Amino acid sequence: MPDAILKLENVRAGYKTVPTIREINLTMTAGDAMAIIGANGAGKTTLLRAIMGQIGMMDGSVSFRGNAISNLRTHQRARLGIGYAPEGRQLFQSMTVVENLEIGAARVSSATRKARVERMFELFPKLGPLAKTDCGFLSGGEQQMVTIARALMGEPQLLLLDEPSTGLAPRVISELYASLAQLLETGLTILVAEQNARAALRFARRALVLEDGRSTMEGPTPDLLGDRRVVDAYIGLGSRELGWRTAPAGAASK
Ligand code: ATP
């Protein structure tokens, strides 16, 4: 089995003294695409924040490319190669697209930064013509692209994405996930947390279901899509015509 790029062992984390997530075990290999699905408040954001070091862990360990990172600060984890696109797009609304992107690569030379911005415009062609536009004027989908591109400006090996589809129209969600699929082809590893299980499970190769802070199911997405409990709880109406209710384990889900 190839070496893990990300490994969580028995992770317990939360706010103040109460653990919000507990006994979380997860392993990703390079180039993997994994989805964390769960309802509102299940602990998806908390899990990503624990990986990024934005909240302290109460127990367990996180390692990245074989090195323990549990004691590192957030910026140190980012420097090692973990990019984070948080929920809610958290962009500087009165700064332009380019200015927001540049914040994602503050420590490199200006020539390198410029080259990376150009690369982002190749990955997200819609952003090029908006380079000088303030982010406050962008659509939700465009803002989400900037958020992801900003996380990529540090050239991470692992990208953490929190609810990228929130508030976006179905067509825009499809476009966004098509861009993420392209990124996977470049060798990037992607961990995405989503309430929108439909989009996330179509994209990811493996998934973990989080319920009330605990992992209740984990496996290849075709297996989860063939599980009636997952379909009923997270995909619901409309799944029938996609054939998901009857998808056999091991069948392709795309
Ligand atoms: P959503 O999809 O709504 O973002 P989530 O699965 O990402 O949900 P979290 O944001 O991780 O869930 O929240 C998990 C639990 O932790 C919730 O009960 C939430 O109220 C609580 N929580 C989140 N942030 C804080 C905080 N800063 N202080 C205290 N409790 C918090």
Side-chain angles (χ1 to χ4, degrees):
M1 173 149 171
D3 290 341
I5 186 165
L6 179 72
K7 194 172 173 83
L8 271 63
E9 288 177 290
N10 200 25
V11 166
R12 176 194 292 241
Y15 308 91
K16 301 196 175 141
T17 54
V18 187
T20 300
I21 52 169
R22 60 190 86 202
E23 289 154 39
I24 303 291
N25 294 287
L26 172 164
T27 302
M28 293 184 78
T29 52
D32 206 356
M34 187 166 187
I36 311 280
I37 61 170
N40 236 317
K44 303 180 296 297
T45 299
T46 305
L47 176 54
L48 295 185
R49 296 188 72 203
I51 296 170
M52 208 54 216
Q54 291 189 344
I55 55 168
M57 277 184 0
M58 296 162 177
D59 197 8
S61 65
V62 180
S63 58
F64 179 63
R65 293 196 294 156
N67 300 307
I69 60 167
S70 311
N71 294 326
L72 299 186
R73 315 232 345 225
T74 299
H75 69 272
Q76 294 171 309
R77 298 183 199 210
R79 246 178 256 164
L80 283 180
I82 308 179
Y84 183 32
E87 193 177 13
R89 303 173 197 145
Q90 300 177 23
L91 297 171
F92 293 99
Q93 300 289 319
S94 57
M95 287 167 65
T96 66
V97 168
V98 168
E99 287 165 349
N100 269 281
L101 291 182
E102 286 177 344
I103 290 168
R107 292 168 55 84
V108 299
S109 72
S110 62
T112 303
R113 202 157 40 239
K114 204 160 171 263
R116 288 188 190 176
V117 168
E118 289 309 316
R119 168 92 184 101
M120 290 308 130
F121 292 159
E122 283 166 23
L123 270 172
F124 299 102
K126 283 193 170 169
L127 295 184
L130 299 168
K132 301 259 167 60
T133 305
D134 282 358
C135 282
F137 293 115
L138 303 186
S139 71
E142 290 157 355
Q143 293 209 17
Q144 188 60 64
M145 285 174 199
V146 178
T147 304
I148 295 170
R150 185 176 61 181
L152 294 172
M153 284 289 289
E155 299 204 326
Q157 290 152 34
L158 168 65
L159 177 64
L160 310 179
L161 289 168
D162 199 358
E163 305 266 6
S165 72
T166 300
L168 305 184
R171 185 184 48 81
V172 183
I173 295 172
S174 298
E175 280 174 19
L176 189 71
Y177 272 97
S179 303
L180 294 178
Q182 258 185 305
L183 282 168
L184 274 184
E185 281 170 26
T186 68
L188 188 69
T189 309
I190 299 181
L191 178 60
V192 59
E194 273 281 13
Q195 259 189 74
N196 186 340
R198 181 183 291 252
L201 291 177
R202 291 187 109 179
F203 162 75
R205 293 174 193 145
R206 293 190 311 123
L208 180 151
V209 178
L210 208 55
E211 286 178 31
D212 202 14
R214 290 176 195 269
S215 162
T216 53
M217 246 181 271
E218 201 217 314
T221 44
D223 290 0
L224 270 74
L225 289 167
D227 189 303
R228 191 181 174 138
R229 286 166 302 168
V230 175
V231 174
D232 285 349
Y234 299 105
I235 296 171
L237 292 176
S239 54
R240 234 178 264 264
E241 69 268 21
L242 294 170
W244 285 355
R245 200 173 280 271
T246 53
S253 60
K254 301 211 168 171

